[in-house]
C-alpha cells in the first residue's frame, strides 16, 4: 500500500471521528482485522458503531485518483459486510462511483462518500449521505464590493 493511501485512511478516520455525531456514530475505531463466518479474517480500514443500534459499519477507503469505484469493489465490501455480520458499510474515495457501484450500494446498505485526495485532518471536503462536511484550516475572508455614486449639488429632501 502506498504512503498516500495509508495517509488517506488515517485522515478519513480522523474526519469520521470529528463528524461522528452528525453521522449517527457513537464510536470510530482504527484499522483492524475482523473474523468472518467463512473462517477468514478481513482487514477493515475503520469500523464505526451506530449510536442507535450499536451496529457495526465497515469503512473502506480507496484513494483512486484516475477512475471511479466500480461495482466489483462495492460488491467486495458487501460480501465483507455479510461475512462479518456487520450492519452496513461506507466506502470513501475521491472521484466518486460508477452507476453500477451506486446500484449495488443502494441495494445493500452501503453509504458512498467522496473525500478529496489531498484531504488533511483540518482541510477537507467530505460528501456523505446527502451531507457536506468542510474543514477549513486557514482563515477565509470575504469582501463585498460596494459602489458609491457621488451626486453633486443639492439632493432633494426625503
Amino acid at each position: 500500500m502506498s504512503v498516500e493511501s495509508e495517509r488517506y485512511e488515517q485522515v478519513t478516520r480522523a474526519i469520521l471521528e470529528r463528524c461522528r455525531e452528525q453521522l449517527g456514530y457513537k464510536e470510530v475505531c482504527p484499522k483492524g482485522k475482523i473474523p468472518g463466518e467463512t473462517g477468514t479474517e478481513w482487514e477493515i480500514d475503520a469500523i464505526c458503531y451506530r449510536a442507535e443500534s450499536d451496529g457495526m459499519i465497515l469503512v473502506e477507503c480507496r484513494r483512486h485518483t484516475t477512475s471511479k469505484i466500480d461495482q466489483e469493489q462495492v460488491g467486495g465490501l458487501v460480501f465483507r459486510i455479510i461475512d462479518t455480520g456487520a450492519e452496513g458499510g461506507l466506502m470513501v474515495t475521491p472521484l466518486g462511483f460508477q452507476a453500477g457501484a451506486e446500484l449495488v450500494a443502494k441495494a445493500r446498505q452501503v453509504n458512498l462518500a467522496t473525500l478529496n485526495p489531498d484531504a488533511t485532518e483540518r482541510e477537507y471536503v467530505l460528501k456523505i449521505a446527502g451531507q457536506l462536511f468542510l474543514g477549513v484550516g486557514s482563515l477565509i475572508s470575504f469582501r463585498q464590493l460596494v459602489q458609491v455614486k457621488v451626486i453633486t449639488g443639492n439632493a432633494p429632501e426625503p
Side-chain angles (χ1 to χ4, degrees), residues 119-140:
T120 68
E121 293 177 20
R122 292 185 55 184
E123 297 181 5
Y124 57 88
V125 178
L126 173 67
K127 296 176 190 172
I128 179 174
Q131 299 178 72
L132 178 64
F133 297 91
L134 300 173
V136 181
S138 338
L139 180 62
I140 297 176

Side-chain angles (χ1 to χ4, degrees), residues 1-114:
M1 174 182 294
S2 72
V3 171
E4 292 89 7
S5 293
E6 284 184 39
R7 179 75 180 132
Y8 193 73
E9 289 176 9
Q10 292 168 353
V11 167
T12 299
R13 286 189 295 271
I15 294 168
L16 289 175
E17 177 61 35
R18 178 173 290 157
C19 303
R20 71 181 165 76
E21 288 181 19
Q22 294 91 341
L23 293 169
Y25 301 142
K26 77 171 186 177
E27 185 177 9
V28 177
C29 298
K31 184 175 200 156
K33 293 188 178 185
I34 300 175
E37 292 177 14
T38 56
T40 190
E41 283 189 329
W42 298 101
E43 185 171 87
I44 305 299
D45 297 333
I47 303 161
C48 297
Y49 291 92
R50 291 192 188 203
E52 63 199 36
S53 66
D54 266 349
M56 184 170 55
I57 304 299
L58 307 182
V59 180
E60 284 293 314
C61 302
R62 302 286 167 91
R63 190 182 177 275
H64 292 193
T65 58
T66 59
S67 63
K68 293 181 175 185
I69 298 297
D70 63 26
Q71 67 193 39
E72 294 283 335
Q73 293 175 77
V74 175
L77 177 55
V78 168
F79 184 77
R80 288 189 290 282
I81 292 166
I82 293 166
D83 197 39
T84 61
E87 192 172 297
L90 170 64
M91 186 165 280
V92 183
T93 190
L95 294 182
F97 303 85
Q98 293 179 2
E102 291 177 357
L103 290 171
V104 171
K106 185 176 180 181
R108 297 296 179 194
Q109 299 156 3
V110 174
N111 280 320
L112 303 177
T114 57

